[in-house]
Every structure is written in C-alpha cells, then in structure tokens.
Amino acid sequence: MTADSLREKFLGFFKAKKHKIVESDSLVPKDDPTVLFTPAGMNQFKKEFMGFDCGFKRAATAQRCLRTDDLDKVGKTSSHHTFFEMLGNFSFGDYFKEEAIVWAWEFLTKELSIHQDKLWVSVYQEDEETYKIWKDKIGIPEKKIIKLGDKDNFWPAEAKTKGPNGPCGPCSEIFYDFGPGAGCGEKICDPSCSCGRFVEIWNLVFTQFNRKDDASLEPLPNKNIDTGMGLERLAAIMQGKQNNFEAELFQPIIKEIIR
Ligand code: SER
C-alpha cells in the first residue's frame, strides 16, 4: 500500500466519523513563538485546545512536520527524518479517550488489517482509566500494555517539569513489533527498549491541561484529543520493511542519488 493511499484511507476513515478534513499548516508556523518549525499536527489547533470555538469539534489532518529535536537521530535510526508527515485526528471538547482508542484500533486492525498480535501499547503510569480501556474494551493482554512515565507517556515529553507552557496531557502510544529476531534478542524486550524491534506508530494524547509558568497544570475548559501517526513509519510497515529508507517514499530518491 502506498503512502498516498494510506493518507487517503486515514482521512477518509475520519471523515466518515464526522471529522472536518483540514489542510496541513505551513511548515513555518505564523503565530507560534514557541517553535521554529511545525513539529506536530496539534500545533495549528492550540487555540482550539484552549477553548476557542472554530465552528467544528472534530478535525483530521496530514501535517507536514519538522522536529529539531529529532535531527541528531537522523541517519542513525531506521525511523527518524528531517521532514515527515503526521496523520492526526483531533477532538476539541467532543470525544475523549474511549473513542480515540477504539477508532485507532479499528483503523489499524480492520482498515489496514494489521494483525493484533503485532501491536503493543503503552500508557501513562498514573492513567488507570486508559489501561482499563486497552485491557477490557479492546482486549489487549496485560503483558502487552506497558506503563511509562513523564518522558515517554506525557506530551510534550516531560512538559510537567520542563515545559513548554500550553496544552498538554498524558498519552498512550501504539507500537508495531517487528518480532524477536529484529532487535536485541534479549528475553525481556518491550517497547521501552531502543533496540529497534518495536517502533512507535501512533501517539494518542489526552490533552486536558494547560501548563503555566509556575509549572502548574491547570485543567483546560474541555478535554481534548490530539493524535499523531508517522506516515513514513506506517508506509514502511505496510510495505513489509523494517527501515523507512527501504520503503517506497525514500527508495526513488536514494536510487536517483546513487545513479
Ligand atoms: N502531539 C503528539 C505527538 O506529536 C500527537 O500528535 O506525538
């Protein structure tokens, strides 16, 4: 399946669930002094997360992104890029955790037919509600739900202690497992291991706080959803590749360079 058809499938899936399809924002954001480049789909919706009524409560995008934090990893890992596209669905005070989780699972396992055995999830260590949804509603075995802390399962990472200010919240991530032969081979290896066996494909953020100057977390007027899935990672998985650079989006460029 090509990246173009994945993007189309994703936007069509959420359009059918009453999301407004919004164009990707500029890679250089106009009115956001907190970032140099657009690092995520949520950036163009910060006002909506803070309670501004834009006339719709559900949106989906394919956002062009650049993460300065990732640049050191580019060329060293199989899944970090200077530029990438993020597929995201958003709720501004409309649906919350359960729908976001159920729809993400439906998209991956039904629309894309990814076998559920290949998927693991992580939840914020204090977020029992999300743990229960994955375990009881979706039926994920407990050994495949891992609990992580502020660095991995709060977005932005470590926002509680380090900032930036603004909308934030606990998150839950979905990982694809390339199998025991693909990584370190250690008996205990799970999505918290950086050996490459597991790749994070989708981050579901439960955006419910506004982080302030004094590091306090003020509840937002509404509970929101911000999700982001890496198109290049998903395309590689759907094309049977463990390395994004071996998949369809990069191969024509690489072949042209070495020609
Ligand atoms: N904002 C979250 C992220 O970038 C989810 O889209 O991971």
Side-chain angles (χ1 to χ4, degrees), residues 39-43 67 84 86-90 155-156 171 173 200 202-205 207 226-229:
M42 62 79 73
N43 284 69
R67 287 191 168 180
F84 68 100
M86 183 181 281
L87 304 173
N89 56 291
F90 306 92
W155 204 89
C171 62
E173 297 185 323
E200 177 213 326
W202 204 341
N203 186 12
L204 316 179
V205 186
T207 311
D226 152 31
T227 88
M229 173 155 59

Side-chain angles (χ1 to χ4, degrees), residues 56-204:
F56 51 90
K57 287 187 169 297
R58 298 179 181 192
T61 62
Q63 174 64 49
R64 292 183 276 271
C65 299
L66 192 163
R67 287 191 168 180
T68 49
D69 285 358
D70 280 355
L71 295 182
D72 284 348
K73 298 180 195 140
V74 177
K76 296 179 186 157
T77 76
S78 56
S79 57
H80 288 91
H81 302 293
T82 49
F83 166 88
F84 68 100
E85 268 185 81
M86 183 181 281
L87 304 173
N89 56 291
F90 306 92
S91 155
F92 314 122
D94 186 5
Y95 63 86
F96 199 45
K97 290 179 179 179
E98 185 158 319
E99 291 90 337
I101 290 172
V102 166
W103 290 340
W105 194 252
E106 182 186 337
F107 183 73
L108 295 174
T109 60
K110 301 253 164 46
E111 287 290 307
L112 301 186
S113 301
I114 296 177
H115 199 284
Q116 61 183 30
D117 289 355
K118 302 297 290 176
L119 301 173
W120 289 55
V121 299
S122 67
V123 299
Y124 187 55
Q125 58 201 8
E126 291 161 22
D127 188 355
E128 278 307 314
E129 187 188 358
T130 299
Y131 189 93
K132 282 208 180 76
I133 298 173
W134 283 119
K135 180 167 86 68
D136 300 333
K137 175 101 194 163
I138 306 291
I140 310 254
E142 284 187 84
K143 69 175 193 326
K144 292 176 76 182
I145 311 174
I146 62 165
K147 294 182 178 179
L148 298 172
D150 287 344
K151 193 163 171 289
D152 298 287
N153 275 94
F154 200 88
W155 204 89
E158 299 183 280
K160 274 177 156 180
T161 48
K162 297 186 178 163
N165 290 343
C168 60
C171 62
S172 182
E173 297 185 323
I174 305 175
F175 295 82
Y176 185 83
D177 178 5
F178 284 102
C184 60
E186 295 294 328
K187 217 167 169 191
I188 298 176
C189 175
D190 67 23
S192 63
C193 181
S194 57
C195 69
R197 170 176 166 180
F198 295 92
V199 68
E200 177 213 326
I201 49 175
W202 204 341
N203 186 12
L204 316 179

